Amino acid sequence: MYKRIRDLREDRDLTQQQLADRLNISQATYSRYESGNLDVPSSVLIRLSEFYNVSIDYILGQTDISKRLNGMRK
């Protein structure tokens, strides 16, 4: 998962700071997510999924199919 979130960020030419700003977290916290030194909370996984328009399963490395299904939110 950690390599995948780094790859997603780098594919969009974003710095850790830019993505951390979008997530309203510190760059240090985001860096710890990418390095695997801190588990990514589910709320952040959801926001990353929405931002990158990929499934959470893709982020977690459970599938190589990135397509995100848009479900209805209540």
Side-chain angles (χ1 to χ4, degrees), residues 24-69:
N24 295 317
I25 59 174
S26 71
Q27 181 274 329
T29 297
Y30 184 80
S31 176
R32 291 174 65 201
Y33 293 158
E34 278 193 9
S35 67
N37 291 323
L38 184 64
D39 286 335
V40 182
S42 57
S43 61
V44 173
L45 285 173
I46 291 167
R47 291 171 68 194
L48 289 170
S49 169
E50 291 170 345
F51 177 72
Y52 291 126
N53 197 31
V54 298
S55 70
I56 292 174
D57 282 345
Y58 179 78
I59 292 172
L60 294 175
Q62 298 298 303
T63 183
D64 288 331
I65 300 169
S66 65
K67 183 176 170 118
R68 181 171 180 261
L69 299 177

Side-chain angles (χ1 to χ4, degrees), residues 3-19:
K3 181 181 181 327
R4 189 147 285 174
I5 62 173
R6 184 186 69 234
D7 289 346
L8 285 166
R9 177 182 58 78
E10 290 176 346
D11 287 348
R12 285 156 182 82
D13 295 323
L14 296 170
T15 65
Q16 286 185 346
Q17 184 64 60
Q18 289 170 319
L19 193 52

